Amino acid sequence: MKIATWNVNSAKARLPLITDWLRAESPDVALLQEIKCETAAFPRAAFEELGYHVTPVGQKSYNGVAFLSKAPHEDVLARLPGEPEDEQARYVEATVGDVRIASLYLPNGNPIGTEKFAYKLRWMDRLHAHARGLLAQEVPFVLGGDYNIIPEPRDVFDPVAFAGDALFQPESRAKFRALLNLGLTEAYRALHDDDHAYTFWDYQAGCWPRDLGLRIDHFLLSPQAADRLVGCRIDRRPRGAEKASDHTPVILDLRDKSDIS
């Protein structure tokens, strides 16, 4: 099973780029973030024409996630549990085959010292609690998306410059490690030990041509999913396209359950 995650920074604005990429890469599941439209306004027909079943979870102008799969997906969860009053569209989860998969858009949290940062930390606590519940079910699951977390200094072009950024704060990085300490596997780092493996380049200051990037888009796998891990790679090509998103796709490959010896 090939699963892709991509913060597209507006599904409507990037639609030709997204559909061209899906046509070329043909992932079995595509997890999109920052669709930036209400659920009803999501351009689902363009993805259905490519053979995808589509579940968007949107809001006006901001945030929003979508779940695309070639096979039907079932048991959709359209909100991260734990804070019923939270109306931000940041999470959708469903089952494809025997794998539970989520598309998530973790809050940015800037500036620190504000409610935005407190919300980020609460959201991570909710994700931690939900992941514990999924682990108790002993099923293969994948939590993919834009985590807005720089896990290590080598995952940012200038750690000193990001010392005051919510993406690189000790508190938020500790909560990311707490997810791993539950027994989850960070797919890219399980297979690669390279530096400059970025998934995001700001539009400002020539960050893309100068390769001044961050690695903030991740796949976390349950033990049952990690047993099936075959590959995880960053596809930098879409970031160099005209009218690109500031993020680029990350692609996860899992072997079928029947292929595990």
Side-chain angles (χ1 to χ4, degrees):
M1 180 186 290
K2 180 191 286 189
I3 306 172
T5 183
W6 191 3
N7 179 323
V8 295
N9 191 12
S10 177
K12 291 182 178 180
R14 320 288 171 211
L15 188 58
L17 178 64
I18 302 166
T19 54
D20 285 350
W21 187 85
L22 289 173
R23 197 174 288 111
E25 278 290 337
S26 193
D28 299 294
V29 178
L31 311 174
L32 307 182
Q33 299 89 41
E34 272 202 287
I35 60 173
K36 291 187 175 179
C37 64
E38 293 178 292
T39 300
F42 185 75
R44 62 185 305 140
F47 301 106
E48 290 172 342
E49 288 176 4
L50 296 177
Y52 286 99
H53 300 263
V54 181
T55 298
V57 178
Q59 65 181 87
K60 187 176 182 179
S61 303
Y62 299 101
N63 306 323
V65 290
F67 194 110
L68 283 58
S69 63
K70 290 183 177 179
H73 50 266
E74 303 173 335
D75 302 321
V76 174
L77 177 66
R79 182 183 297 270
L80 182 66
E83 196 168 317
E85 65 275 19
D86 183 8
E87 297 183 353
Q88 296 192 31
R90 293 186 175 273
Y91 193 89
V92 60
E93 175 185 305
T95 299
V96 180
D98 68 330
V99 184
R100 192 75 176 157
I101 305 170
S103 175
L104 65 90
Y105 178 43
L106 205 147
N108 177 285
N110 280 305
I112 60 173
T114 68
E115 168 57 24
K116 290 183 177 181
F117 189 60
Y119 173 59
K120 180 188 187 84
L121 298 182
R122 292 198 311 273
W123 208 95
M124 296 188 78
D125 287 339
R126 290 161 57 195
L127 183 62
H128 186 278
H130 185 59
R132 287 185 62 184
L134 290 172
L135 284 165
Q137 299 176 33
E138 298 188 352
V139 297
F141 68 83
V142 173
L143 305 177
D146 177 0
Y147 279 74
N148 270 315
I149 294 289
I150 303 166
E152 303 176 72
R154 62 175 169 168
D155 295 317
V156 54
F157 72 92
D158 187 347
V160 174
F162 277 78
D165 195 285
L167 281 64
F168 199 51
Q169 287 306 291
E171 300 97 318
S172 45
R173 292 169 62 201
K175 289 185 183 296
F176 185 80
R177 288 194 300 273
L179 287 166
L180 301 180
N181 291 338
L182 287 173
L184 303 183
T185 295
E186 205 257 277
Y188 188 83
R189 280 295 175 224
L191 299 173
H192 305 283
D193 196 36
D194 53 338
D195 298 334
H196 303 283
Y198 303 139
T199 64
F200 168 89
W201 299 260
D202 200 295
Y203 291 126
Q204 306 299 319
C207 286
W208 167 245
R210 299 166 63 197
D211 198 27
L212 306 180
L214 322 174
R215 193 176 71 90
I216 57 177
D217 302 88
H218 311 297
F219 282 109
L220 300 190
L221 313 183
S222 71
Q224 295 81 4
D227 287 344
R228 294 157 66 168
L229 176 60
V230 175
C232 187
R233 60 187 172 91
I234 299 166
D235 184 358
R236 294 167 61 105
R237 294 171 300 171
R239 182 59 183 87
E242 186 177 353
K243 297 182 179 179
S245 169
D246 43 9
H247 294 250
T248 210
V250 184
I251 303 162
L252 174 73
D253 284 295
L254 302 179
R255 62 171 57 93
D256 291 336
K257 183 178 181 180
S258 59
D259 293 334
I260 302 175
S261 57

